[in-house]
């Protein structure tokens, strides 16, 4: 049976290639993802090992479960460290936010890769930075800076240039005295690196009289653990002593955490591609079995058992799966290189080098590719084994019975309902990881829709086909009748396109709803005429998204402004009622928040009562915690420990944080005082455009990383960000649509082979080649439109479910762009035309005499 399967595939190479294409693309994305992440991980394993190789231990602020209480510690601790037996070198350092400005005045970095600042030391045993050969020296005085080589090369900086650097205190000019590498790498994953002389770094990063760490090299022969114990007994509380290996592991964990998102996203889209491919493979084998019914029945008549027939079909699937998985595995090499190039183009400075091969990559690729192919072919193989030796010798295959359609309808409807229940439970149930239930529900609904689709395929094909036939004539009539007479084939072929279209529609409708929600919130709740926030992404505090409180003072002193309010966010270093998954804790100015930032529908006198030791809680959160105004709530801080707050008010509107404390309280419990947002209203009688220009000039002269925006600017920025994410997801989901187009092509090719005599007779009685091409083309368009129709319905449903689940977060209205849906239908028509090119050409060029001959 294996030989029979092998010879059958060799005699149908084109069919095998088209079937394998679905697996090749899906497996290629899986292996490419693993190649990319494994290479990156190996690169940074080596990099961090090299960086910390000469450092034995490090003293730094203690980091508990909530993070470090403070960024720095008193520099007097250095003498204690140096006086400890076994310490050979003790090199202090500080680090913080530093961002370069290029020669055109544009910010460098900050959107993705971090902008890092360090103090410089000439001691090579502890300095992870080293001057690139021939590129200057380290900084030895204030006003000097060293830049990483990747940034210097990307922006054409050379030693001796004057460069502008932004820190928390504003922008200053420095002389570029050296260009450095991070270990052997030109950059740390695209991060910009600025290094200053130690005292200069202390001033710039706000650590005058403090260090953020001290790196230690031990004398030969001293036991590391004994020195650590000695240091821990002598150093003041709030400091910890860690080994270099601990720092390597922490750096790799942070890197893996950031990489995990990329890895998960890429594998998710690869999973979608494989899922789509499964529909195509199942459909292909089902059609092949139908076409080979005589051949298989003859084998049964000659003595082949049912198990042997089934085994032969499984062998064919196995061979296709193996070939497709192997080709897909090697295709992943190219995909991994493409990901490297795209990440580099986005400014991430991914180190180039040989791709890393892990055995896991090959195993996963083969298991997924072969497993999906074989599983997809099992049902057609089982049906092949049930062919009766004599009944299957009839000229025409029996049509699908009403009873069979009824059973399919019941099963499909059950799967849809079960999937809907899983989605509902995932969205509304109290689950730690609801995504699993939502994903399972979506998968079940896709399968249910595919099962039930043949019931709809026939009336859809006839209804649409009648319209097309009136416009395009007899060949369009033949096209829709071909689609309608095999509803199972039409539905299964369209199912692959349905998945891709539905996901694209879901993303589009959800994005449109999100834009609408942002516009509504901005119009109804947001009261600021003008706002200031960093252009950079990242955490507040010492990160690049925070900025100096001096901005508030500058804006407040301007005659163009009336009410001014400052907002602070903490993303870590705290927990509320023992919850560690709180997104953000906000510090506000109670007296001006409602006048200059947002109206949140607060309870009576809430802002007036908000002071030290008091808190406002969002109403939905109060209900969740089973608390009311007047109760107490506990917040534990890394800096000050457990604090009890009196709930003095609530608010109803969605906001970034469910908890509001005063800025006075915020500063008492967090070491960092940087702002995340400043809002202001215009003074009476000022011209808005002139006021905006004056405020922008006053702020950005010193703090060029800040964006000064009015309400329309904020809305546009939010919409642009959503569009960027939307474009990325469209690009990734396009792969599923490409696979679906291959599926339509494959089905039409098999259909043409099945209808060879029929097409030959058409040509014999006078049908032109163009007429045959028209028939195949419109059949493809009907299939594509059916898939798009189902996809749009399912995509809108999924968007409705998610929007409903997020109603408490302010996304309470689903908004659909009907123009976009129309574009998707037009796209489906184009996909149908594209998929039909090859099959239509083959049908039109068919030899008439051979086609109508009969043995």
């Amino acid at each position: 049976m294996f030989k029979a399967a092998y010879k059958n595939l060799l005699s149908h190479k084109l069919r095998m290639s088209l079937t394998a294409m679905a697996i090749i693309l899906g497996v290629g994305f899986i292996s490419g993802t693993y190649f990319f992440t494994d290479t990156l991980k190996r690169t940074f394993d080596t990099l961090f090992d090299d960086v910390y190789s000469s450092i034995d231990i490090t003293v730094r602020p203690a980091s508990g479960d909530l993070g470090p209480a403070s960024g720095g510690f008193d520099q007097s601790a250095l003498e204690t460290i140096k006086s400890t037996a076994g310490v050979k070198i003790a090199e202090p350092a500080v680090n913080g936010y530093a961002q370069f400005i290029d020669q055109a005045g544009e910010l460098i970095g900050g959107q993705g890769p971090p902008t890092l600042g360090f103090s410089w030391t000439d001691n090579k045993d502890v300095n992870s930075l080293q001057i690139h050969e021939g590129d200057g020296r380290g900084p030895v005085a204030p006003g000097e800076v060293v830049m990483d080589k990747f940034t210097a090369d990307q922006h054409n900086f050379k030693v001796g240039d004057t460069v502008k650097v932004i820190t928390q205190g504003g922008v200053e000019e420095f002389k570029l005295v050296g260009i450095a590498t991070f270990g052997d790498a030109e950059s740390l994953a695209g991060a910009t690196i600025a290094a200053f002389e130690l005292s200069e770094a202390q001033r710039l990063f706000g650590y005058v009289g403090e260090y953020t760490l001290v790196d230690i090299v031990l004398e030969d022969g001293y036991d590391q653990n004994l020195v650590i114990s000695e240091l821990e007994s002598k150093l003041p509380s709030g400091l910890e002593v860690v080994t270099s290996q601990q720092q390597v592991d922490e750096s790799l964990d942070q890197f893996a955490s950031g990489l995990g998102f990329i890895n998960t996203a890429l594998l998710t889209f690869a999973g979608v591609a494989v899922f789509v491919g499964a529909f195509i493979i199942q459909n292909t084998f089902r059609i092949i079995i139908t076409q080979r019914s005589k051949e298989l029945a003859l084998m049964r008549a000659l003595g082949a058992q049912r198990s042997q027939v089934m085994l032969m079909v499984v062998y064919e699937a196995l061979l296709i799966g193996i070939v497709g998985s192997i080709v897909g595995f090697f295709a992943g090499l190219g995909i991994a290189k493409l990901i490297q190039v795209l990440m580099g183009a986005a400014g991430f400075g991914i180190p180039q080098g040989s791709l890393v091969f892990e055995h896991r990559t090959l195993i996963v690729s083969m298991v997924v590719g072969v497993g999906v192919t074989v599983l997809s072919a099992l049902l057609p193989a089982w049906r092949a084994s049930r062919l009766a030796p004599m009944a299957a010798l009839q000229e025409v295959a029996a049509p699908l019975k009403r009873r069979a359609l009824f059973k399919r309808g019941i099963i499909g409807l059950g799967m849809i309902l079960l999937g809907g229940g899983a989605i509902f439970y995932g969205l509304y149930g109290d689950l730690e990881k609801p995504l699993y239930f939502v994903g399972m529900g979506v998968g079940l609904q896709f399968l249910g829709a595919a099962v039930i689709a043949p019931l709809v395929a026939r009336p859809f094909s006839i209804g649409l086909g009648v319209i097309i036939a009136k416009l395009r004539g007899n060949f369009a009539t033949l096209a829709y009748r071909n689609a309608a007479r095999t509803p199972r084939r039409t539905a299964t072929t369209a199912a692959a396109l349905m998945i891709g279209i539905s996901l694209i529609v879901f993303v589009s409708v959800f994005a449109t709803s999100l834009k609408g929600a942002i516009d509504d919130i901005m119009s109804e709740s947001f009261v600021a005429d003008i706002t200031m926030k960093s252009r950079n992404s990242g955490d507040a505090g010492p990160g690049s998204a925070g900025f100096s409180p001096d901005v508030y003072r500058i804006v407040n002193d301007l005659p163009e402004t009336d009410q001014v309010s400052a907002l602070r966010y903490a993303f870590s270093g705290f927990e509320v009622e023992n919850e560690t998954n709180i997104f953000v804790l906000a510090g506000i100015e109670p007296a001006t928040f409602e006048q200059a930032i947002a109206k949140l529908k607060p309870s009576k006198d809430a802002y007036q009562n908000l002071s030290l030791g008091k808190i406002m809680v969002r109403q939905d959160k109060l209900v969740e915690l089973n608390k009311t105004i007047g109760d107490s709530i506990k917040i534990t801080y890394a800096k000050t420990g457990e604090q009890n707050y009196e709930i003095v008010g609530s608010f109803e509107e969605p906001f970034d944080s469910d908890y509001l404390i005063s800025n006075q309280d915020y500063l008492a419990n967090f070491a960092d005082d940087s702002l995340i947002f400043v809002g202001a209203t215009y003074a009476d009688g000022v011209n808005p455009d002139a006021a905006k220009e004056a405020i922008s000039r006053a702020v950005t002269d010193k703090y060029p990383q800040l964006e000064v925006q009015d309400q329309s600017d904020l809305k546009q920025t939010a919409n642009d960000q959503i569009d960027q994410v939307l474009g990325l997801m469209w690009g990734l989901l396009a792969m599923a649509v490409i696979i679906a187009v291959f599926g339509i092509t494959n089905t039409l090719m098999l259909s043409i082979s099945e209808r060879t005599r029929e097409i030959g007779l058409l040509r014999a009685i006078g049908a032109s080649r163009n007429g045959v091409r028209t028939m195949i083309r419109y059949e493809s368009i009907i299939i594509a439109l059916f898939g798009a129709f189902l996809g749009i319905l399912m995509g809108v449903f999924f968007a409705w479910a998610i929007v409903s689940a997020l109603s408490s977060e302010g996304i309470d209205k689903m908004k659909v762009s009907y123009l976009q849906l129309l574009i998707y239908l037009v796209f489906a028509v184009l996909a149908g035309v594209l998929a039909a090119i090859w099959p239509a050409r083959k049908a039109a060029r068919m030899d008439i005499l051979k086609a109508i001959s009969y043995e």
Side-chain angles (χ1 to χ4, degrees):
M1 286 299 167
F2 183 82
K3 287 183 179 179
Y6 175 70
K7 289 182 178 180
N8 183 62
L9 289 178
L10 286 183
S11 63
H12 299 89
K13 297 183 182 68
L14 177 60
R15 184 175 69 196
M16 183 188 75
S17 300
L18 289 172
T19 306
M21 187 60 67
I23 289 299
I24 290 171
L25 291 174
V27 170
F29 221 73
I30 291 173
S31 65
T33 299
Y34 280 126
F35 275 128
F36 171 72
T37 54
D38 289 340
T39 300
L40 214 53
K41 186 177 182 301
R42 177 75 61 83
T43 299
F44 284 101
D45 278 350
T46 304
L47 176 61
F48 288 130
D49 282 340
D50 290 344
V51 166
Y52 292 107
S53 60
S54 59
I55 299 172
D56 292 310
I57 55 180
T58 297
V59 175
R60 66 186 187 186
S63 181
D65 294 337
L66 301 178
S70 176
F73 57 91
D74 194 277
Q75 63 185 24
S76 61
L78 181 62
E79 293 305 317
T80 303
I81 296 170
K82 286 183 174 181
S83 64
T84 301
V87 174
K88 177 182 178 182
I89 299 171
E91 191 68 42
V94 294
N95 52 60
Y97 157 65
Q99 184 172 17
F100 291 108
I101 300 175
D102 68 17
Q103 295 167 352
E106 299 295 327
L107 304 181
I108 298 176
Q111 295 293 327
T115 50
L116 306 177
F118 297 100
S119 60
W120 178 271
T121 175
D122 287 323
N123 193 323
K124 295 183 179 180
D125 289 331
V126 295
N127 194 356
S128 57
L129 296 172
Q130 57 189 42
I131 298 297
H132 187 256
E133 185 176 354
D135 280 330
R137 58 171 175 81
V140 295
E144 296 181 342
V145 68
V146 164
M147 179 185 293
D148 64 281
K149 190 174 189 304
F150 178 79
T151 302
D153 290 346
Q154 289 290 308
H155 298 277
N156 298 315
F157 284 113
K158 295 179 176 58
V159 173
D161 288 347
T162 298
V163 298
K164 291 183 177 180
V165 183
I166 311 167
T167 63
Q168 290 292 99
V171 62
E172 297 183 35
E173 290 188 346
F174 296 85
K175 181 180 180 181
L176 181 60
V177 296
I179 296 173
T181 57
F182 193 90
D184 292 331
E186 295 183 356
S187 166
L188 181 61
T192 63
I193 298 173
F196 308 89
E197 181 268 333
L198 178 60
S199 63
E200 180 79 325
Q202 288 176 305
R203 177 185 70 84
L204 293 171
F205 303 148
Y207 291 115
V208 175
E210 292 184 323
Y211 302 131
T212 58
L213 60 87
V214 175
D215 288 323
I216 299 170
V217 178
L218 300 180
E219 298 277 5
D220 292 339
Y222 274 85
D223 183 84
Q224 185 183 72
N225 293 327
L226 290 177
V227 176
I228 290 175
S229 297
E230 178 71 13
L231 285 170
E232 287 176 339
S233 66
K234 294 170 63 176
L235 290 171
S237 62
L239 297 181
E240 64 180 2
V241 186
V242 296
T243 65
S244 59
Q245 188 57 51
Q246 284 178 270
Q247 295 188 86
V248 170
D249 293 341
E250 289 173 357
S251 298
L252 291 176
D253 285 344
Q254 291 176 357
F255 167 74
S257 177
L259 186 64
F261 173 77
I262 299 174
N263 191 49
T264 301
L266 293 176
L267 288 178
T268 297
F269 287 107
V272 171
V274 171
F275 188 56
V276 171
F279 279 89
I280 295 172
I281 293 166
Q282 192 271 344
N283 191 37
T284 300
F285 273 94
R286 188 185 59 77
I287 297 172
I288 291 171
I289 296 305
T290 302
Q291 292 178 352
R292 293 167 57 197
S293 58
K294 290 184 181 181
E295 172 193 330
L296 297 174
L298 183 60
M299 292 179 65
R300 291 291 313 282
L302 293 174
Q305 298 177 359
R306 288 179 58 178
S307 59
Q308 290 178 304
V309 173
M310 183 174 179
L311 197 59
M312 185 183 71
V313 177
V314 170
Y315 279 147
E316 290 184 21
L318 182 65
L319 289 171
I320 289 175
I322 290 173
V323 172
S325 299
I326 292 174
V327 175
F329 171 78
F330 285 105
L333 294 169
I335 292 174
K337 281 292 185 183
L338 177 62
I339 296 173
Q340 279 187 334
V341 171
L342 293 176
M343 294 285 282
F348 281 85
I350 299 299
Q352 300 296 311
S354 301
L355 295 174
V356 172
F357 165 70
E358 298 283 350
H359 291 96
R360 178 258 288 119
T361 304
L362 179 60
I363 292 171
V364 172
S365 298
M366 296 302 295
V367 168
V368 171
V370 175
V372 168
T373 308
V374 172
L375 287 174
S376 301
L378 282 180
L379 183 58
W382 178 72
R383 286 176 175 165
S385 71
R386 297 185 66 198
L387 285 171
M390 302 307 296
L393 295 176
Q394 60 188 351
E395 179 66 19
V396 181
L400 195 62
K401 297 179 181 179
R402 289 181 178 271
R403 186 178 177 185
L405 284 173
F406 179 76
K407 286 182 178 180
R408 288 179 69 94
I410 295 297
I411 294 172
L413 185 61
M415 295 175 75
I416 289 173
L417 292 175
L418 188 61
I423 293 173
F424 183 86
Y425 184 59
L427 294 175
Y428 297 100
D430 186 16
L431 300 174
E432 184 176 348
K433 294 183 178 180
L435 188 60
Y436 294 139
F437 273 88
V438 174
M440 182 178 67
V442 169
L444 280 171
Q445 293 227 317
F446 276 135
L447 292 173
V451 171
I452 206 172
L455 279 76
V456 188
R458 181 178 175 82
F460 180 91
S461 299
I462 293 174
L464 178 63
V466 169
I467 298 173
I468 296 176
K470 288 183 177 180
L471 298 174
R472 301 298 296 171
N474 292 331
F475 288 104
T477 301
L478 291 173
Y480 86 74
R481 287 180 177 175
N482 284 331
R485 73 177 176 177
T486 54
R488 180 185 291 174
R489 176 190 299 168
T490 298
T492 310
T493 306
L497 186 62
M498 171 194 73
I499 297 171
I501 293 290
S502 66
L503 293 175
I504 290 175
V505 168
F506 159 70
V507 170
S508 300
V509 173
F510 181 73
T512 302
S513 301
L514 183 59
K515 289 180 181 179
I518 291 173
D519 286 346
D520 291 343
I521 291 172
M522 292 287 291
S523 300
E524 296 171 8
S525 303
F526 198 73
V527 296
D529 292 322
I530 196 80
T531 65
M532 285 121 275
K533 62 183 181 63
S534 176
R535 302 173 190 270
N536 300 325
S537 59
D539 290 346
S544 57
F547 53 89
S548 172
D550 188 47
V551 174
Y552 170 80
R553 291 187 284 271
I554 292 173
V555 177
N556 197 43
D557 290 341
L558 291 173
E560 288 84 3
T561 61
D562 180 19
Q563 298 289 329
V564 181
S565 194
L567 189 63
R568 290 180 168 89
Y569 284 166
F571 294 89
S572 60
F574 71 97
E575 67 178 16
V576 181
E577 290 289 298
N578 299 319
E579 287 187 73
T580 56
N581 61 342
I582 307 298
F583 171 64
V584 62
L585 178 65
I588 69 169
E589 293 292 336
T592 56
F593 179 82
E594 193 170 28
Q595 289 75 35
I597 293 184
K599 293 184 180 294
L600 303 181
K601 295 184 181 178
S603 59
K604 185 178 180 180
D605 296 332
Y607 292 118
Q608 291 87 328
N609 294 328
L610 189 62
S611 59
L612 200 63
K614 315 292 184 182
I615 192 170
M616 289 173 60
V617 183
R618 189 179 170 196
Q619 183 61 41
D620 288 350
K621 180 59 71 172
L622 278 180
V623 174
E624 181 183 324
L625 296 174
N626 195 27
K627 292 181 180 292
T628 61
I629 295 173
D631 290 345
S632 65
I633 196 169
K634 180 181 70 175
I635 300 182
T636 306
Y637 297 99
K639 177 183 177 182
T640 57
E642 185 178 310
Q643 305 288 329
N644 288 308
Y645 284 82
E646 179 188 354
I647 302 173
V648 295
S650 64
F651 57 96
E652 297 180 13
E653 290 295 311
F655 191 61
D656 291 342
S657 176
D658 289 329
Y659 305 96
L660 304 180
I661 60 175
S662 67
N663 272 327
Q664 178 188 12
D665 218 321
Y666 186 100
L667 295 174
N669 292 287
F670 291 101
D672 177 64
D673 68 345
S674 62
L675 304 178
I676 198 71
F677 190 87
V678 171
T681 57
Y682 294 138
D684 291 339
V686 302
N687 179 279
D689 292 335
K692 178 182 177 182
E693 184 178 349
I695 295 169
S696 179
R697 187 169 55 250
V699 169
T700 58
D701 281 351
K702 188 174 182 181
Y703 301 98
Q705 81 274 28
L706 298 185
E707 282 185 299
V708 179
Q709 298 178 306
D710 56 24
Q711 284 202 23
S712 61
D713 294 332
L714 282 174
K715 289 179 182 179
Q716 187 60 48
T717 298
N719 288 338
D720 289 345
Q721 291 172 346
I722 294 171
D723 287 339
Q724 287 176 2
V725 176
L726 195 61
L728 174 63
M729 297 189 74
W730 276 349
L732 292 170
L733 288 171
M735 182 175 63
V737 177
I738 291 171
I739 295 174
V741 171
F742 274 109
I744 296 174
T745 301
N746 196 16
T747 299
L748 289 174
M749 292 289 286
L750 293 170
S751 174
I752 288 166
S753 177
E754 182 181 11
R755 290 148 48 194
T756 297
R757 186 177 304 159
E758 174 188 318
I759 295 172
L761 287 172
L762 279 174
R763 295 279 287 117
I765 62 176
S768 65
R769 286 186 174 183
N770 185 58
V772 172
R773 281 195 293 266
T774 299
M775 179 183 70
I776 301 300
R777 186 182 305 118
Y778 278 108
E779 185 177 349
S780 178
I781 290 172
I782 289 170
I783 293 173
L785 282 173
F786 181 57
F789 171 74
L790 292 179
I792 288 172
L793 288 180
M794 295 194 69
V796 171
F797 169 75
F798 293 148
W800 170 82
I802 297 298
V803 169
S804 298
L806 294 175
S807 59
S808 62
E809 304 301 322
I811 309 174
D812 54 357
K813 296 177 183 176
M814 188 177 78
K815 297 189 177 182
V816 181
S817 171
Y818 295 101
L819 177 60
Q820 283 186 341
L821 298 187
L822 180 61
I823 291 172
Y824 298 144
L825 289 174
V826 172
F827 173 79
V829 172
L830 294 176
V833 172
L834 181 65
I837 291 176
W838 193 357
R841 184 173 183 272
K842 180 183 179 182
R845 295 169 64 88
M846 191 178 292
D847 186 293
I848 299 175
L849 293 179
K850 286 184 179 180
I852 63 177
S853 64
Y854 182 73
E855 295 181 4

